[in-house]
Amino acid sequence: MAAHLLGAEGLRLEYPTRVVFESLTLGIEEGDRIGIVGRNGDGKSSLLGLLSGLIEPQAGRVTRRGGVRFGVLSQGDDLDPGA
């Protein structure tokens, strides 16, 4: 039986112009391989932000098994322009 690593229950995320997620629930188990595919603006980065804790959901919760590390590579350049 695979161990639960990361989960989300009933996530909601809404921006002023649209609802991105409504009642999103998912689970990732040890050994799972996942891909996130969608058109530009469909919420892929928002989903990763919610799962990593960079974005707070307006409803629902994200759970992580103790000791699980979650990394996200930003889409923007965070380089020091003077360097």
Side-chain angles (χ1 to χ4, degrees), residues 26-44:
L26 63 88
I28 300 173
E29 307 294 327
E30 192 172 314
D32 284 354
R33 301 284 187 251
I34 63 168
I36 301 173
V37 180
R39 298 176 307 226
N40 288 346
D42 276 351
K44 300 176 301 288

Side-chain angles (χ1 to χ4, degrees), residues 5-7 18 21-22 25-26 30 33 43 45 49 51 64 67 73 75 79 81-83:
L5 296 178
L6 179 70
R18 71 185 189 101
F21 298 112
E22 178 73 46
T25 298
L26 63 88
E30 192 172 314
R33 301 284 187 251
S45 296
L51 296 176
R64 287 176 207 84
L73 181 61
Q75 293 185 50
L79 303 173

Side-chain angles (χ1 to χ4, degrees), residues 19-79:
V19 174
V20 181
F21 298 112
E22 178 73 46
S23 299
L24 174 71
T25 298
L26 63 88
I28 300 173
E29 307 294 327
E30 192 172 314
D32 284 354
R33 301 284 187 251
I34 63 168
I36 301 173
V37 180
R39 298 176 307 226
N40 288 346
D42 276 351
K44 300 176 301 288
S45 296
S46 295
L47 175 59
L48 290 175
L50 289 167
L51 296 176
S52 67
L54 296 173
I55 299 174
E56 199 63 34
Q58 290 150 337
R61 67 182 181 147
V62 174
T63 56
R64 287 176 207 84
R65 185 175 79 184
V68 170
R69 296 183 326 166
F70 195 100
V72 177
L73 181 61
S74 173
Q75 293 185 50
D77 290 333
D78 297 330
L79 303 173

